[in-house]
Amino acid sequence: DQQVKQNSPSLSVQEGRISILNCDYTNSMFDYFLWYKKYPAEGPTFLISISSIKDKNEDGRFTVFLNKSAKHLSLHIVPSQPGDSAVYFCAASAAGTASKLTFGTGTRLQVTL
Amino acid sequence: DAGITQSPRHKVTETGTPVTLRCHQTENHRYMYWYRQDPGHGLRLIHYSYGVKDTDKGEVSDGYSVSRSKTEDFLLTLESATSSQTSVYFCAISESQGSRAFFGQGTRLTVV
């Protein structure tokens, strides 16, 4: 049972345009959501997070939106740059669970010139 | 970057042999985790630790054991390696509940 789902395995976006990556979850106990970026042969690196008490969090070009009623979150990257090409993982954790993360299967973003 | 070192970075081993992967942190973080990454599955939690000598199972713990005798070190042991354990293994650390996790560079393990 996949509790965190990223239904788009890949996404291609032109440089300068907006990239929107989506994530759905089923476990209503999740209250903290994170996005990680991963380059080949490297470990995942933290990008941005959001608590369930918020519906939006921004950090520079990256914005995460959370829709709790729909159990959906999205990552917006504006403007997209070639260096953003990577695999993006959505992850979630629940309070009182030692910050254990449940990951989605990832979306490969390709930013083209 | 958080101070996390995984060793070895690459290993090829034979079916049936024991294998130990090491994770070392210099951040004094309380929580440590072992994940594996496989195509189509994202990252899945194997075991985690919430303090010295305090460990618990994750989603895919069968065939694995862990130990944490010091705050800075978290060992993952494959008791008798199988081909299904061929994977990329990531160690992660987290300072407290509800805080972000930082990941190591990964260990690519191939069981032949």
Side-chain angles (χ1 to χ4, degrees), chain A residues 53-72:
Chain A
I53 63 173
K54 295 186 173 182
D55 55 18
K56 178 183 174 182
N57 188 28
E58 280 183 88
D59 184 1
R61 296 186 297 114
F62 303 93
T63 303
V64 56
F65 296 91
L66 176 62
N67 182 332
K68 289 186 291 294
S69 61
K71 293 190 175 66
H72 177 81

Side-chain angles (χ1 to χ4, degrees), chain B residues 36-98:
Chain B
R36 60 179 286 176
Q37 185 193 4
D38 303 289
H41 289 280
L43 283 84
R44 291 179 292 173
L45 181 66
I46 305 170
H47 280 279
Y48 67 101
S49 170
Y50 45 95
V52 173
K53 292 187 171 33
D54 292 323
T55 64
D56 206 346
K57 295 179 180 180
E59 179 187 358
V60 288
S61 60
D62 286 350
Y64 302 94
S65 62
V66 290
S67 67
R68 191 171 179 198
S69 59
K70 297 185 289 185
T71 298
E72 57 266 35
D73 290 325
F74 193 34
L75 304 180
L76 175 71
T77 297
L78 288 64
E79 292 135 13
S80 176
T82 68
S83 58
S84 65
Q85 293 175 312
T86 292
S87 187
V88 181
Y89 292 85
F90 290 101
C91 174
I93 63 174
S94 178
E95 186 173 16
S96 60
Q97 292 265 12

Side-chain angles (χ1 to χ4, degrees), chain A residues 25-76:
Chain A
Y25 63 96
T26 57
N27 187 340
S28 58
M29 299 303 291
F30 289 147
D31 65 348
Y32 185 54
F33 303 89
L34 309 90
W35 285 93
Y36 283 86
K37 176 179 180 180
K38 186 180 181 306
Y39 293 118
E42 294 186 10
T45 55
F46 172 79
L47 199 55
I48 192 169
S49 63
I50 188 167
S51 163
S52 60
I53 63 173
K54 295 186 173 182
D55 55 18
K56 178 183 174 182
N57 188 28
E58 280 183 88
D59 184 1
R61 296 186 297 114
F62 303 93
T63 303
V64 56
F65 296 91
L66 176 62
N67 182 332
K68 289 186 291 294
S69 61
K71 293 190 175 66
H72 177 81
L73 64 155
S74 60
L75 173 67
H76 292 209

